[in-house]
Structures are given as C-alpha cells and as structure tokens.
Amino acid sequence: MSPDPQTITTQPEATLDAEAGTAAEEAARPQADAARELTDAAAASAEALDSYSRTVAGVAERLSPSVANLRVLRATRRGRVPAGAGSAVVLTRDGFLITSAHVVAGRDRAGRATFVDGREIGFDVVGADPLSDLALLRAQADDLTPAVLGDASTLRVGQLVVAIGNPHGFAGSVTAGVVSALGRSLPARSGTTVRMIDNVIQTDAALNPGNSGGALVDSFGRVVGVNTAVAGVGLGLAVPINEATRGLIGSLMTHGRVRRAYLGVAGGPRPLPAHARRERDQASGVEVIEVVAASPAERAGIRVEDLILELAGGRVLGVEDIQRLMVADLIDTPVEALVLRGGRPVRLTLIPRELVG
C-alpha cells in the first residue's frame, strides 16, 4: 500500500518552520541585548547627571546666602569713590567675612556688601595680608549666614568643586568643575617682599573678574578655598583653607595683621652633592644666592653659595620649607641652621626679626 502523501509532506514543513524560528530568535538576541545595554547605559547616565545636578544645586542653595558681592570704595577729598569689586565669604554670624587681599588693596578702603536676599550692608577692612592674598572684613550686621569651612588637604585631583561668586558683578553666580591640580604655588608681593603662596588649588570651574574672594566649595558644601586668580581659560586658582590659613585668619581677626619672621636670604632649590645625599638621605637643599645687608642671616654668618640643609630642627628641601617656618613664634627666638659650605657641614645660630612690609 502506498503511503499517505499528506503524511509525507506535512512533517518536514513543521520541522523547517521550527528551525527557522529558532534561527531568527538567535539572530535577534544580540540586537535585543545591545538595545537593553543601551537602555541601561542611558538610564545610568541620566541617573548620574541627575545626581551631579542635585549636588551642584544643593551646594548653591546652601552657600549662596553666605557669599557677598563687594563694591569697594576708597576715601578721597570728594568723598568715597568706586575702587573695585569682588566677592567675600561670611565667616561668622556677627559680620566677619573673608576675601582676597587684592580686592581691597590700598589705604582707607571700605564699601558695601550685597547678599542674595537683597540686603546691602556696609563693611570695613579689619586687616589684609598680601603675602597670602587674604583679607578680613567686618560688616555692620549680626544675623549673617556663616559658611562651613572645610580642609583643602583632603582634596583629590578630579574631585567635584563649585565656585560661587560675582563675576562681572552678576551676583550669586555658580560654576562647577573639578580639582585639576593640587600643590601649585602662586607668587604674592608686599612692597619689596615676594613670597610664594603654597598648596594653591587649581580648578577648571569657570572664574572671571569679580570671582576673587568668593568661595570654592566641595560637594558637601564646605568652603575649601578662596578664589584668587584667573590664570587662563579653564584655569582658576584658589588659596586653600587649611590649618595654615586658619591661623592666618585667626591672626587677622585678633590683631588685624599677620606677623612673620624674617631671615634676609634669597635662594632656590639645589640637589645635594652625592656624598651628602648618601649620608643624609636627603635629595636637595636651598642654595643661598643673596644675603641682605644687616639682616639676621648676615649677622649669623650665612654666606652666598651656602646650601641650607636644616632650619629650626626641620629639614629644608625647598624654599617653601623655609617660608613655612617663618611664623610669629620664631620672631626674636634663636634657631639653629645647618648649612653645607664647601662640602662641609656648618652649624649657625640665627635670630629672626619681624618682617616689615
């Protein structure tokens, strides 16, 4: 008997259809997976952007009431006339503010501080320290909103920071970026004295004229720097808030000025000779290139070409190590210095005087 033709033709067709469906599903799976990955990436990107926005917005809301727009005035025979503008950060409820010294530079400076709530309050300059580019103001108010000070020593390169100030007079402007470098140095001058401001913060948060004296803030809303300079497009600098600057602010608040010790030498870093490097496990010192006449250094016997290795019990690797030691506590206090002279170590005793700008 011949087989049923329907039975012969139906079974292969069903098998082919199943195989075709499986092949189509296999071919479509990578596309589906890719689409799912794109969707997940887009969602993660949106979530990250939203988190970034929330952080910046939260910092701005928290700090804007503590940042003032300064209109600086100077006294003349015809009364007070405009002398500049900038920003300032509220330190205390009873009216102390911090700003950049160059914003209020000059004699008989005062002015008006405007806040985001519309208040305009007069202020006077309590004291300024050009060598750190910090100045302290006192506003005529007792109900200001103080900012929380942080610690710049905990910052990391790449960390989010927010700059709040008044560029070109536009009050309460906010820009955001990252810490692009740490440990920079910035020269500052007072009269004929030049000093390097250490551990300056470099950021790519947009800064413009008028931002000086404003706040550089971390993502927790803590002030970690005082914006001080625009060094180029996408390159701003800020004086760090750390243990050293807190001491300077305290001195300005207490005495209206910062007292520093003075040696009377100029120099630069220089590698130690090979034998001294091995003996001391120290790579460099400071070579003296000038000794000021009648200075503490000259009286102690320091000479040009001496290589300073130690001062006041601490190693000297660079000029900043000497600057860091020149604090008020060393004024009129004998300190020992170790120098390398002609390849031989020589110990000397110096008595630093007070620096007069």
Side-chain angles (χ1 to χ4, degrees), residues 303-324:
R303 304 174 187 173
V304 172
E305 296 186 354
D306 279 352
L307 194 58
I308 301 176
L309 306 178
E310 293 181 9
L311 184 65
R315 287 193 173 188
V316 173
L317 304 178
V319 175
E320 64 277 4
D321 294 319
I322 297 178
Q323 291 182 347
R324 198 174 296 117

Side-chain angles (χ1 to χ4, degrees), residues 115-154:
F115 294 86
V116 292
D117 61 5
R119 285 189 295 171
E120 185 175 302
I121 305 170
F123 71 82
D124 295 304
V125 179
V126 175
D129 180 42
L131 295 179
S132 65
D133 199 23
L134 293 175
L136 189 72
L137 314 177
R138 186 67 183 268
Q140 299 157 11
D142 59 4
D143 58 349
L144 300 182
T145 304
V148 176
L149 298 185
D151 185 0
S153 66
T154 65

Side-chain angles (χ1 to χ4, degrees), residues 73-357:
L73 306 173
R74 64 183 177 86
T76 68
R77 293 179 181 178
R78 296 176 295 174
R80 292 197 176 274
V81 299
S87 307
V89 183
V90 177
L91 293 179
T92 66
R93 183 178 175 82
D94 60 350
F96 282 108
L97 300 92
I98 193 74
T99 187
S100 298
H102 72 265
V103 170
V104 294
R107 299 183 59 185
D108 300 321
R109 293 301 198 261
R112 308 289 293 177
T114 305
F115 294 86
V116 292
D117 61 5
R119 285 189 295 171
E120 185 175 302
I121 305 170
F123 71 82
D124 295 304
V125 179
V126 175
D129 180 42
L131 295 179
S132 65
D133 199 23
L134 293 175
L136 189 72
L137 314 177
R138 186 67 183 268
Q140 299 157 11
D142 59 4
D143 58 349
L144 300 182
T145 304
V148 176
L149 298 185
D151 185 0
S153 66
T154 65
L155 290 176
R156 298 171 61 189
V157 173
Q159 184 173 336
L160 171 67
V161 284
V162 178
I164 304 176
N166 306 282
H168 301 294
F170 294 106
S173 295
V174 176
T175 57
V178 299
V179 175
S180 52
L182 293 167
R184 298 299 195 211
S185 294
L186 181 68
R189 178 181 295 273
S190 177
T192 59
T193 302
V194 178
R195 183 180 185 273
M196 301 302 291
I197 303 174
D198 296 325
N199 298 316
V200 170
I201 305 165
Q202 179 183 310
T203 174
D204 68 351
L207 300 179
N208 289 283
N211 271 114
S212 291
L216 188 69
V217 189
D218 66 13
S219 58
F220 297 98
R222 301 171 300 202
V223 178
V224 292
V226 177
N227 297 318
T228 186
V230 181
V233 177
L235 182 60
L237 302 174
V239 175
I241 297 295
N242 53 28
E243 184 179 355
T245 51
R246 285 172 185 266
L248 297 177
I249 293 169
S251 183
L252 289 172
M253 193 174 291
T254 305
H255 306 292
R257 64 191 183 99
V258 174
R259 299 179 69 215
R260 287 187 174 86
Y262 165 72
L263 293 181
V265 295
R270 176 186 157 189
L272 267 62
H275 72 278
R277 191 181 307 135
R278 288 192 301 270
E279 290 174 2
R280 295 184 51 79
D281 191 25
Q282 180 175 339
S284 63
V286 170
E287 182 181 20
V288 177
I289 60 176
E290 181 183 356
V291 179
V292 178
S295 67
E298 186 186 60
R299 292 189 178 117
I302 287 183
R303 304 174 187 173
V304 172
E305 296 186 354
D306 279 352
L307 194 58
I308 301 176
L309 306 178
E310 293 181 9
L311 184 65
R315 287 193 173 188
V316 173
L317 304 178
V319 175
E320 64 277 4
D321 294 319
I322 297 178
Q323 291 182 347
R324 198 174 296 117
L325 290 169
M326 295 298 99
V327 295
D329 291 345
L330 257 64
I331 296 173
D332 298 327
T333 301
V335 296
E336 190 173 80
L338 174 64
V339 304
L340 200 63
R341 179 180 297 166
R344 299 176 56 188
V346 178
R347 293 196 176 273
L348 304 168
T349 301
L350 299 90
I351 304 178
R353 294 204 312 255
E354 182 172 359
L355 175 65
V356 179

